[in-house]
Amino acid sequence: MAHQTSATPQLLAYVREVSLRDDDLLRELRQVTAELPGGTAMQVMAEEGQLLALLVGLTGAGAVLEIGTFTGYSTLCMARALPADGLLVSCDIDDRWPSVGADFWKRAGVASRIDLRIGDAAATLDALLAERGPGGFDLVFIDADKANYVRYYEASLALVRPGGLIVVDNTLFFGRVVDPNAVDPDTVAVRELNRLLHQDPRVEVSLLVMADGITLVRKR
């Protein structure tokens, strides 16, 4: 990594110009989200949404699990990449923010592919394991409360099929992972997960220096 190109604002603008394939619906949902309290910080960036859609297609996913819905931007991106009979189960603790995205899902014609589960994520994951059995999903996207990241990862590893993909967001956590003074539960949990993934023989792993850190985990 010693000779990487520096990501200047001008270079990032160029990358967006030649790589991002955007549309009015996605832009509108991002704008609505940005106007909410904490919306800008919690928003999945446009390039990440596009990457998630690409990964759904690359894995040939027919069943996707999302842990953490927020306003449903990543939900929309992934649901549009699914086949017509595909399923995306999205979990959130409260329906306040997911309700923002529900109209956008309908307008995109993908609401029938989305199964929104409201409640404690750990309980929802246990229920999904009972419903679908081990390996019931092709791809899992984790973007929820960081303090429970290790717990969500272990549950996801049981729920994803062999050869399936787990995508973990915020694994650089605003740079706090390298700040020795950052000892809050969220930062500590992200560090713990990163160390676990690095040593876990059950998976192949790559941390992408993109957005706030995106780790790709392929189950062996």
Side-chain angles (χ1 to χ4, degrees):
M1 296 175 67
H3 303 291
Q4 283 185 335
T5 302
S6 296
T8 64
Q10 293 82 3
L11 189 59
L12 290 173
Y14 173 77
V15 170
R16 175 165 285 197
E17 178 185 344
V18 300
S19 176
L20 181 61
R21 295 180 175 179
D22 212 358
D23 60 49
D24 291 341
L25 195 64
L26 293 175
R27 282 190 291 269
E28 184 182 346
L29 180 51
R30 289 201 307 272
Q31 181 59 43
V32 169
T33 302
E35 294 170 358
L36 299 173
T40 301
M42 295 177 66
Q43 170 80 277
V44 167
M45 67 185 297
E47 288 84 353
E48 184 173 359
Q50 182 168 302
L51 174 63
L52 289 169
L54 178 64
L55 293 173
V56 170
L58 282 173
T59 57
V64 172
L65 171 61
E66 178 179 49
I67 306 172
T69 314
F70 192 38
T71 61
Y73 183 84
S74 53
T75 318
L76 175 59
C77 292
M78 292 189 289
R80 295 206 302 188
L82 283 168
D85 61 348
L87 171 69
L88 191 158
V89 179
S90 190
C91 314
D92 211 283
I93 190 66
D94 189 281
D95 64 0
R96 179 185 181 189
W97 302 130
S99 65
V100 173
D103 179 59
F104 290 85
W105 304 341
K106 292 177 185 176
R107 290 164 58 189
V110 297
S112 63
R113 303 175 193 174
I114 299 169
D115 177 6
L116 179 63
R117 305 283 183 103
I118 300 299
D120 176 75
T124 300
L125 297 175
D126 288 342
L128 287 170
L129 186 61
E131 290 173 26
R132 300 181 62 88
F137 291 92
D138 305 300
L139 184 148
V140 181
F141 178 47
I142 303 175
D143 185 18
D145 56 296
K146 312 312 170 196
N148 284 303
Y149 256 26
V150 171
R151 186 175 185 181
Y152 297 153
Y153 167 66
E154 291 292 349
S156 297
L157 200 59
L159 284 161
V160 76
R161 63 170 172 80
L165 187 67
I166 301 171
V167 183
V168 189
D169 200 15
N170 304 115
T171 48
L172 295 180
F173 205 46
F174 307 102
R176 294 176 64 83
V177 288
V178 295
D179 180 357
N181 296 314
V183 293
D184 57 282
D186 288 341
T187 305
V188 170
V190 173
R191 288 194 194 110
E192 182 182 355
L193 177 63
N194 288 339
R195 287 192 296 268
L196 170 61
L197 291 175
H198 184 233
Q199 301 295 330
D200 195 343
R202 300 170 294 177
V203 299
E204 299 167 13
V205 61
S206 180
L207 198 167
L208 307 181
V209 185
M210 172 185 176
D212 189 32
I214 304 169
T215 302
L216 305 182
V217 184
R218 182 179 180 271
K219 182 177 178 178
R220 295 185 185 273

